[in-house]
């Protein structure tokens, strides 16, 4: 109780300190004024987003950043040597940043309108998050003492709490459609919520929100996404090979073509490559092809993985991670994943394992 009171007192004190600062900042600039626990004295704290990377040293438990952003930008503050990070909305205004007991994940941020809505969003689920964390801690600590019935009860309760957070989050987006927090949240959950709900919520948003970075990503997603199933015809696409050439998928398909979704950083993907290579070498001459679509963003890491794994099949990417066009078209929610297409262009299998694939090829190609 005393610790929580101390934290709140320091946070209020920090806000008063920031508001009484002698230097008045320009109305088109941001100024982040942070207070941390003394453990971080002398360390460097970083501010980062897609367009910015800056760092300052913490002195006397304080740090400051100043600059300009074109519009509210989802950003993070972190200490490079640790995994501690706090995401927040960076806006051209005064922003107070207080880190209680060097706990970045629970940092208190007070800023502009976008951050105000983010804080409101968090409060909708705060108690549920704490309940889920408590269940996780109980399960982790007492896992060997719990009966099967007790474990099942905890898992069921956890799922119920998670479902409630999802509903609360959807209600938030529905209630406050025209804020940056809502468009960010909708884009982040587009796959798990499904295209129908995503499209419905997106349609209620103002044009100004739809033209933000996340709004444009959602427009692209909704225009590309399809609910293809086994028995449906494939949808064509084109991407870049490792030599920078644009290649069209329809020019590559054979009697059987496996579209394999992977990435250099995906360990299960890399582990499955040797067996797939065996099948490719054995059946390629008889009409089997693999077209591997990487979700990599870094070209060199992608190429290095291709060379290290000695991947002789066709490798393509558009360097857009989860926004890879082919991954959106084929509703890829995690990797590894794959689609098997026959010579007529019909999808005949999904998430097919190497053993099942081998039986199929051995039966149909010989």
């Amino acid at each position: 109780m005393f610790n929580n009171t101390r934290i709140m007192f320091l946070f209020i004190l920090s806000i008063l300190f920031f508001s009484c600062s002698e230097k008045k900042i320009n109305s088109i600039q941001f100024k982040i004024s942070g207070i941390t626990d003394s453990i971080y004295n002398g360390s460097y704290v970083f501010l980062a987003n897609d367009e910015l990377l800056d760092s300052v040293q913490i002195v006397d438990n304080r740090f400051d950043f100043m600059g300009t952003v074109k519009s509210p930008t989802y950003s993070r503050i972190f200490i490079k040597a640790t995994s501690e990070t706090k995401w927040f909305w960076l806006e051209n205004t005064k922003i107070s940043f207080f880190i209680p007991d060097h706990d970045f994940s629970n940092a208190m941020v007070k800023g502009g309108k976008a951050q105000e809505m983010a804080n409101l969003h968090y409060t909708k689920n705060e108690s549920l998050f704490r309940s889920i964390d408590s269940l996780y801690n109980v399960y982790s600590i007492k896992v060997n003492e719990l009966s099967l019935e007790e474990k099942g009860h905890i898992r069921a309760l956890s799922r119920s709490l998670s479902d409630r957070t999802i509903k609360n989050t959807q209600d938030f987006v529905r209630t406050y459609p025209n804020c940056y927090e809502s468009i960010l949240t909708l884009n982040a959950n587009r796959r798990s919520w499904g295209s129908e709900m995503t499209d419905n919520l997106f349609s209620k948003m103002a044009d100004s929100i739809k033209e933000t970075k996340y709004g444009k990503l959602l427009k692209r997603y909704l225009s590309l996404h399809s609910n293809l199933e086994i028995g449906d015809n494939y949808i064509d696409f084109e991407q870049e090979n490792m030599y920078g050439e644009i290649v069209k998928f329809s020019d590559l398909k054979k009697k059987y073509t496996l579209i394999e979704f992977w990435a250099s950083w995906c360990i299960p993907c890399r582990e499955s490559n040797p067996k797939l290579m065996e099948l490719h070498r054995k059946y390629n001459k008889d009409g089997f092809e693999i077209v591997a679509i990487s979700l990599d963003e870094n070209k060199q890491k992608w190429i290095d993985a291709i060379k290290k794994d000695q991947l002789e099949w066709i490798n393509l990417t558009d360097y857009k991670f989860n926004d890879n066009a082919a991954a959106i078209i084929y509703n890829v929610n995690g990797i590894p994943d794959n689609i098997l297409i026959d010579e007529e262009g019909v999808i005949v299998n999904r998430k097919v394992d190497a053993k099942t694939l081998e039986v199929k090829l051995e039966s149909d190609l010989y």
Side-chain angles (χ1 to χ4, degrees), residues 16 128 153 221:
L16 292 172
L128 294 173
H153 176 70
Y221 170 79

Side-chain angles (χ1 to χ4, degrees), residues 27-42:
S27 60
I28 60 170
Q29 286 185 314
F30 65 78
K31 181 179 180 182
I32 303 173
S33 299
I35 288 184
T36 75
D37 196 275
S38 60
I39 191 171
Y40 288 126
N41 265 343

Side-chain angles (χ1 to χ4, degrees), residues 4 16 47 78 89 93 96 114 132 146 192 199 205 225 236 307 326 341:
N4 290 337
L16 292 172
L47 169 65
F78 66 99
W89 285 102
T93 188
S96 61
I132 292 171
L146 297 171
S192 60
D199 191 21
M205 295 180 166
H225 181 266
D236 205 3
K307 291 179 178 179
I341 299 170

Side-chain angles (χ1 to χ4, degrees), residues 179-337:
C179 68
Y180 283 87
E181 178 70 9
S182 286
I183 193 68
L184 170 75
T185 301
L186 184 57
N187 185 60
N189 291 283
R190 64 194 191 190
R191 284 185 169 89
S192 60
W193 290 1
S195 58
E196 184 177 350
M197 173 168 283
T198 299
D199 191 21
N200 180 269
L201 292 173
F202 187 64
S203 68
K204 305 296 192 299
M205 295 180 166
D207 289 343
S208 58
I209 292 296
K210 291 179 179 179
E211 289 304 314
T212 63
K213 168 188 171 182
Y214 301 104
K216 290 176 180 178
L217 289 174
L218 272 170
K219 281 184 182 179
R220 181 173 179 268
Y221 170 79
L222 290 169
S223 68
L224 291 172
H225 181 266
S226 59
N227 291 308
L228 293 174
E229 298 179 352
I230 293 175
D232 291 337
N233 289 321
Y234 82 103
I235 294 177
D236 205 3
F237 61 90
E238 57 182 31
Q239 296 201 4
E240 184 178 311
N241 66 17
M242 58 191 296
Y243 307 107
E245 302 164 335
I246 300 299
V247 181
K248 199 169 185 178
F249 174 74
S250 55
D251 295 333
L252 306 173
K253 66 185 186 68
K254 295 187 177 181
K255 290 182 180 179
Y256 283 105
T257 308
L258 186 73
I259 307 178
E260 181 73 16
F261 293 94
W262 76 297
S264 65
W265 40 261
C266 171
I267 294 175
C269 303
R270 302 287 295 274
E271 290 175 343
S272 67
N273 280 340
K275 181 58 180 178
L276 283 177
M277 275 305 308
E278 286 182 24
L279 298 181
H280 185 262
R281 288 168 181 161
K282 181 176 180 180
Y283 297 105
N284 182 246
K285 66 182 183 299
D286 299 305
F288 173 59
E289 186 58 87
I290 295 178
V291 178
I293 306 299
S294 171
L295 303 193
D296 277 280
E297 295 177 283
N298 184 294
K299 183 173 184 177
Q300 194 56 54
K301 290 182 179 179
W302 172 52
I303 292 176
D304 289 346
I306 292 171
K307 291 179 178 179
K308 185 173 182 180
D309 292 4
Q310 300 179 357
L311 306 182
E312 299 168 1
W313 52 59
I314 299 164
N315 291 283
L316 305 175
T317 188
D318 62 9
Y319 308 105
K320 291 183 179 178
F321 185 45
N322 282 333
D323 290 305
N324 181 287
I328 293 175
I329 290 170
Y330 289 98
N331 196 26
V332 174
N333 294 316
I335 52 176
D337 194 359

